[in-house]
Amino acid sequence: MNTEVLTQAANQARGLAIDAIHKAGIGHLGLPLGCAEIGAALFGEALSFNPSAPRWINRDRFVLSAGHGSMFLYAWLHLSGYDLSMEDIRQFRQLHSKTPGHPEFRETDGVEATTGPLGQGVGNAVGMATSLKIAEETYNTAEHEIINSRVVCLAGDGCLQEGVAMEASAFAGHNKLDNLILIYDSNDVTLDAQAEETQSEDTAARYEAIGFEVATIDGHDIQKFLSTFGQLRASKNGKPKLLIVKTVVGKGIQEVEGTWKAHGEGGAKFAESARKSLGLPEESFFVSDTVRSAFKERKSALEAAYAEWQKTFQAWQGANPELAKQLKEAKVDQRPDAETVLSWIPEFEKGKKMATRAAAGEVLQPVAAQLPRMNTGSADLFGSTKNYIKDAGEFTPENLTGRNIRYGIREHAMGAITNGFAYDGLWIASGATFLTFSDYMRPSVRLAALSKLPVFHFFTHDSVGVGEDGPTHQPVETTSALRLIPDLDVIRPADGEETAAAVALAISRTDGPTALILSRQNLPDLSVTSAADRRNGTLKGGYVLRAEKAELKGIVIATGSEVHVALEAAEKLGDGYRVVSLPCFEIFDRQPQDYRESVLPSSCSRRVGIEAGVSGLWFRYVGSAGKVVGIDRFGLSAPGDLVLKHLGMHADQVIETMQAI
Ligand SMILES: Cc1ncc(C[n+]2csc(CCOP(=O)(O)OP(=O)(O)O)c2C)c(N)n1
Ligand SMILES: [Mg+2]
């Protein structure tokens, strides 16, 4: 497309944003208007993609980290010929539209990631760039290059102010992800104020210092953008790229442009005069025939390039049937089922005491051997989180297929990067840290749940049982806090067999994330029932671990490290007492009513729940007549077994509590 047409397209995309936001009465005009030339250059020329095959493996991934500028993305996806009609644009921000307020993965073709919480998209893009680097190394051969795409991320001042972006960028620089092009919309404005009120750093120097190649240009100069972008794209120098584009926020609405008032919908009331000054007709939601046909031609050209690629791909497939099979299975929603995964995991030695973190590490080995697609990582805690895949190497720029990723002490970036892996779908990613520090990555875990991403994490050191490190490292509220996130499965297994099932559940899940909550301290194995029963019970979220041997008098419900305490209490209480192990509330809640009733019969209201954490959520299972032995305070620095005892995590406390009902 020539510059003339691209300029017209930019102005018409501005018109679409103005009209959609004017119609909705709400939205963010600043970015779609300020970045209109960048959109024209990217979607009209620079990016490689196929609107008819939006998940084409060799597409350039475009992530709008500044998700508030969603109308930017919708306008360009529409013009490019994705499945996003003008009617969809008219429905901007309306119920069940394909054009929600912020871009949502799975809702709209061409939306690569759910963005809006600033900075997350940068982390996701770094994850996608990592994913593609591994894919290049895994799948390209000397004869055939089937993957050579780039990840392009548009971020604003807000994204780059957020810590997660800096964590992720440092990871990208360290790992030499030169397939990443981060475009920084530097418009000197944020939501509330001119940017100078809150930032004074030299962003170019900051990024140069962490190993990026940096260029700065006028973001309204289409030709300059195309030539610079082209150079950066071609430069395989081991440096990720930062392209700083100086733009005028809200450009085209003279009343507000260049000021923070242009950030949101403030300018929309000037729609009429703005349309005029942009050279647009009075007709709203206008796209000229010239622009339409130019984008139609562009789509044909993209499809032709895709067809060319298909030829290479066919040849590659013929020459590499094993790799082709692996790649075919590498889809975001493609996972082995839990029973299959469990069949790979041998039973644990009976009677052996073991921490569930150690059990998870053992379970991981045969699973990883069966699933070459799987990698894992830790936030500088492999030695403690135990999720290292043995003999599988470490991911480094020189060893891209190493399956253990050192995320550094960057929990938040780890969350966002693993989400990036999951959005891309090629690899099965997981991370690990101490449960207490899952708080540092909570925003990314929440987005994984919202976007239904099959990613999972090993959260170890799961209670005051951590011991001497003290209350800073002893989670009490964290497991419950994670349970509050909708669509996140939180699994706290009690022994090796439950851990095997927990890992199998995490691997097999296709429609959301899983948090594995694992103990630091050794736990006895629960061989009161068979390994198969414990595994199958865990697959249902909860089960009767010890059945009553006489008329039912009471039920003790527990998770993880407190299940053996519950067992001991029930033994002492007598034959009429049942123990229910409830490793996963969410999965148990999804079981049919008759199963749940068989585990927790409503006729029995004498129930005690025990968990080394805050008690609030437990009343759902013990009911108003029941009681909870929990820890509704912060912990203490002392040996773990003493702290657990001191805070009531012992059989006598359970017995006393049951007897008081
Ligand atoms: C984590 C997070 N905090 C706050 C917000 C609310 N918010 C949305 S946009 C924005 C300002 C962003 O500034 P910038 O990235 O420069 O965007 P511009 O105004 O230039 O479009 C804020 C504070 C958010 N979306 N995410
Ligand atoms: Mg800004």
Side-chain angles (χ1 to χ4, degrees):
M1 268 179 233
N2 64 41
T3 313
E4 172 64 29
V5 176
L6 289 173
T7 303
Q8 284 176 23
N11 280 334
Q12 291 169 23
R14 285 190 168 101
L16 294 182
I18 291 170
D19 292 338
I21 290 163
H22 184 61
K23 183 164 184 288
I26 187 167
H28 299 81
L29 272 172
L31 184 148
L33 269 59
C35 293
E37 281 78 18
I38 292 156
L42 285 174
F43 286 87
E45 280 289 325
L47 292 178
S48 168
F49 58 92
N50 180 1
S52 313
R55 298 287 293 173
W56 172 34
I57 181 187
N58 199 34
R59 71 193 182 282
D60 288 336
R61 279 81 168 148
F62 176 78
V63 178
L64 181 66
S65 186
H68 57 280
S70 56
M71 258 316 298
F72 168 94
L73 189 51
Y74 300 147
W76 292 110
L77 292 178
H78 168 72
L79 288 171
S80 299
Y82 278 89
D83 180 16
L84 194 78
S85 67
M86 191 63 98
E87 186 49 32
D88 294 321
I89 301 279
R90 288 176 190 273
Q91 291 301 312
F92 179 56
R93 288 182 164 239
Q94 302 311 304
L95 190 64
H96 302 318
S97 73
K98 284 187 195 167
T99 47
H102 293 85
E104 291 177 34
F105 183 65
R106 296 183 192 271
E107 296 299 322
T108 319
D109 283 356
V111 169
E112 299 276 3
T114 301
T115 53
L118 298 170
Q120 292 291 334
V122 175
N124 301 153
V126 171
M128 291 177 197
T130 313
S131 169
L132 279 177
K133 275 275 174 191
I134 303 170
E136 284 177 22
E137 184 70 14
T138 306
Y139 295 117
N140 288 344
T141 61
E143 292 75 34
H144 304 108
E145 187 180 67
I146 60 160
I147 300 169
N148 56 15
S149 50
R150 300 287 187 276
V151 181
V152 179
C153 175
L154 179 56
D157 301 290
C159 289
L160 296 200
Q161 284 190 2
E162 288 290 354
V164 63
M166 200 58 200
E167 289 180 21
S169 298
F171 176 95
H174 178 72
N175 288 298
K176 302 192 164 73
L177 303 179
D178 53 12
N179 57 348
L180 172 72
I181 305 174
L182 180 57
I183 302 173
Y184 167 29
D185 174 28
S186 173
N187 58 16
D188 304 322
V189 158
T190 61
L191 184 153
D192 234 7
Q194 297 302 108
E196 66 188 6
E197 302 284 338
T198 56
Q199 67 186 24
S200 46
E201 66 261 52
D202 180 341
T203 303
R206 191 157 73 104
Y207 269 82
E208 269 159 14
I210 56 169
F212 273 58
E213 180 178 354
V214 181
T216 304
I217 57 164
D218 171 357
H220 301 294
D221 182 338
I222 292 178
Q223 279 314 320
K224 185 74 193 164
F225 180 90
L226 285 173
S227 60
T228 311
F229 186 91
Q231 281 161 16
L232 293 178
R233 184 187 182 106
S235 151
K236 294 288 267 180
N237 58 355
K239 287 173 181 252
K241 325 297 174 196
L242 180 72
L243 176 51
I244 303 177
V245 289
K246 295 302 299 180
T247 66
V248 177
V249 65
K251 190 173 165 64
I253 304 182
Q254 282 145 8
E255 290 84 348
V256 294
E257 67 180 27
T259 75
W260 60 269
K261 289 182 189 130
H263 164 87
E265 61 275 347
K269 57 177 174 282
F270 307 109
E272 296 302 318
S273 58
R275 244 187 251 122
K276 226 173 258 162
S277 72
L278 288 167
L280 299 171
E282 276 180 24
E283 178 190 342
S284 58
F285 297 98
F286 170 78
V287 178
S288 69
D289 292 343
T290 312
V291 167
R292 274 271 177 248
S293 66
F295 271 88
K296 220 170 153 190
E297 247 173 65
R298 158 93 168 138
K299 190 176 174 185
S300 304
L302 288 169
E303 282 167 352
Y306 174 78
E308 267 311 299
W309 176 88
Q310 281 287 356
K311 283 188 206 156
T312 313
F313 184 67
Q314 298 299 340
W316 172 85
Q317 268 185 319
N320 306 282
E322 273 303 308
L323 284 178
K325 184 169 167 282
Q326 189 185 324
L327 183 57
K328 205 163 166 228
E329 286 165 9
K331 303 247 160 53
V332 65
D333 297 335
Q334 195 130 352
R335 295 292 179 87
D337 60 38
E339 286 77 10
T340 306
V341 177
L342 272 175
S343 73
W344 302 332
I345 307 170
E347 282 182 20
F348 284 89
E349 187 189 321
K350 231 174 151 178
K352 192 175 163 195
K353 278 194 143 197
M354 206 176 195
T356 49
R357 64 177 167 139
E362 278 197 23
V363 162
L364 191 59
Q365 306 311 321
V367 174
Q370 293 282 342
L371 286 177
R373 259 178 86 201
M374 192 182 160
N375 66 47
T376 194
S378 191
D380 197 45
L381 286 170
F382 269 130
S384 302
T385 53
K386 307 276 184 203
N387 59 316
Y388 196 94
I389 305 175
K390 294 192 180 102
D391 306 320
E394 289 179 16
F395 173 82
T396 65
E398 295 72 40
N399 187 33
L400 292 164
T401 53
R403 294 165 68 190
N404 295 287
I405 303 182
R406 293 190 179 276
Y407 285 106
I409 309 97
R410 303 187 185 101
E411 293 85 358
H412 200 173
M414 177 172 70
I417 291 170
T418 47
N419 286 356
F421 269 111
Y423 281 124
D424 207 29
L426 292 171
W427 313 103
I428 299 174
S430 52
T433 186
F434 290 162
L435 176 60
T436 331
F437 306 135
S438 69
D439 278 342
Y440 274 54
M441 55 193 286
R442 186 174 174 89
S444 301
V445 173
R446 177 178 187 270
L447 277 170
L450 173 58
S451 305
K452 303 193 186 309
L453 298 180
V455 64
F456 62 97
H457 299 292
F458 300 83
F459 293 140
T460 67
H461 297 59
D462 72 346
S463 77
V464 298
V466 163
E468 292 85 344
D469 274 340
T472 54
H473 286 50
Q474 295 169 344
V476 285
E477 80 289 19
T478 324
T479 302
S480 280
L482 288 168
R483 287 180 182 134
L484 290 177
I485 300 178
D487 291 329
L488 173 68
D489 284 354
V490 179
I491 316 181
R492 187 167 187 252
D495 75 351
E497 302 307 338
E498 286 199 3
T499 304
V503 171
L505 284 163
I507 300 273
S508 63
R509 190 161 188 217
T510 57
D511 61 354
T514 304
L516 299 169
I517 311 293
L518 303 164
S519 77
R520 173 191 182 229
Q521 73 274 28
N522 281 338
L523 303 176
D525 86 323
L526 304 171
S527 39
V528 278
T529 65
S530 69
D533 283 352
R534 276 170 280 159
R535 288 179 175 206
N536 291 333
T538 301
L539 294 187
K540 292 185 172 137
Y543 62 102
V544 178
L545 177 71
R546 174 198 195 260
E548 63 282 6
K549 297 181 198 99
E551 194 188 337
L552 184 60
K553 287 195 185 141
I555 307 174
V556 188
I557 316 167
T559 73
S561 53
E562 285 65 65
V563 175
H564 74 93
V565 179
L567 265 179
E568 188 189 330
E571 289 295 333
K572 289 184 182 162
L573 278 162
D575 285 351
Y577 289 84
R578 173 186 290 201
V579 175
V580 168
S581 178
L582 194 61
C584 183
F585 290 8
E586 297 79 15
I587 296 175
F588 184 71
D589 290 350
R590 295 201 289 270
Q591 299 307 308
Q593 157 72 15
D594 56 348
Y595 177 73
R596 283 180 283 130
E597 176 66 22
S598 74
V599 176
L600 294 173
S602 39
S603 56
C604 179
S605 60
R606 279 189 85 221
R607 301 179 186 185
V608 172
I610 174 169
E611 185 173 70
V614 295
S615 56
L617 294 182
W618 276 85
F619 288 92
R620 193 149 101 229
Y621 302 99
V622 299
S624 52
K627 289 193 185 297
V628 181
V629 178
I631 302 179
D632 290 296
R633 51 159 290 177
F634 289 113
L636 297 154
S637 171
D641 48 350
L642 292 185
V643 179
L644 282 163
K645 234 190 191 122
H646 182 75
L647 295 175
M649 295 298 114
H650 55 84
D652 290 347
Q653 186 73 32
V654 175
I655 294 166
E656 211 175 283
T657 307
M658 183 66 85
Q659 283 166 346
I661 300 175

